[in-house]
Amino acid sequence: MKDNQFATQLMIIIGILVGLTVFILALANVLISDEDFSEDTVIQGNIEDRVKPVGNVNIAGSTTVAAKTAESSPIEAGDSTQAAADSGLSAEKIYEACSACHASGVLNAPKFADKASWEPRIAKGVEQLYASAINGIGTMPPKGGRVDYSDDDIKKAVDYMLEAVQ
């Protein structure tokens, strides 16, 4: 008889613990925000941040082509004359805008300081590298998508990356 009592009491305790666990999980689910912090969602958010428009194109008499984000562009909206001038940023700062692709080699971008990936490009000459960076090549858009940077800014970034290879 004692074994039956023990088994009954054990089942009651386990039932109470399972019920309490379900209650706590349900309460936590209600109290936690609806935001999804799973790894896939965070990765997707990072990708979307990297591929969002980083500048805008202003043509007299037309509307803005792409939305400009305040944190990504050093020039004010509508100030197209300043876009042609040197931004005054350091080569390292300009490279940071390029690092989304050039740090990891995304879409065959030559990696920063990777001599093997830069050698065939260097063989074509520095002027060709400048032209490719300014006008775009393959999957790389003109100026790496940073239309707010001047040609001189892009040349500074190319020189910065070349210095790391030598």
Side-chain angles (χ1 to χ4, degrees):
M1 188 75 169
K2 288 187 177 186
D3 287 339
N4 285 340
Q5 283 179 330
F6 175 76
T8 304
Q9 287 178 351
L10 182 62
M11 293 304 282
I12 291 173
I13 291 172
I14 290 175
I16 291 172
L17 289 175
V18 168
L20 185 61
T21 302
V22 169
F23 174 75
I24 290 172
L25 289 174
L27 182 64
N29 193 26
V30 169
L31 296 177
I32 292 178
S33 70
D34 293 335
E35 291 186 45
D36 185 10
F37 292 109
S38 66
E39 185 175 345
D40 290 340
T41 304
V42 172
I43 290 171
Q44 184 64 32
N46 289 341
I47 291 170
E48 289 171 3
D49 285 344
R50 289 185 187 130
V51 298
K52 70 182 176 185
V54 293
N56 62 345
V57 176
N58 294 315
I59 300 172
S62 68
T63 59
T64 300
V65 175
K68 178 183 81 62
T69 57
E71 71 273 4
S72 67
S73 177
I75 61 175
E76 295 298 317
D79 190 1
S80 59
T81 58
Q82 188 177 354
D86 189 337
S87 67
L89 294 172
S90 69
E92 186 175 1
K93 272 289 193 202
I94 297 168
Y95 164 74
E96 286 177 13
C98 307
S99 66
C101 294
H102 286 282
S104 61
V106 171
L107 299 173
N108 295 323
K111 287 184 180 180
F112 184 76
D114 181 8
K115 193 169 187 170
S117 65
W118 280 97
E119 282 180 340
R121 292 163 174 91
I122 293 171
K124 294 178 183 177
V126 176
E127 290 304 317
Q128 179 60 41
L129 280 172
Y130 291 154
S132 296
I134 292 168
N135 300 319
I137 186 168
T139 56
M140 182 182 140
K143 297 183 179 181
R146 291 302 303 255
V147 295
D148 56 323
Y149 285 160
S150 70
D151 291 355
D152 290 337
D153 288 335
I154 300 301
K155 288 178 182 179
K156 279 200 279 188
V158 169
D159 290 340
Y160 179 77
M161 288 188 264
L162 290 176
E163 286 175 17
V165 173
Q166 298 172 0

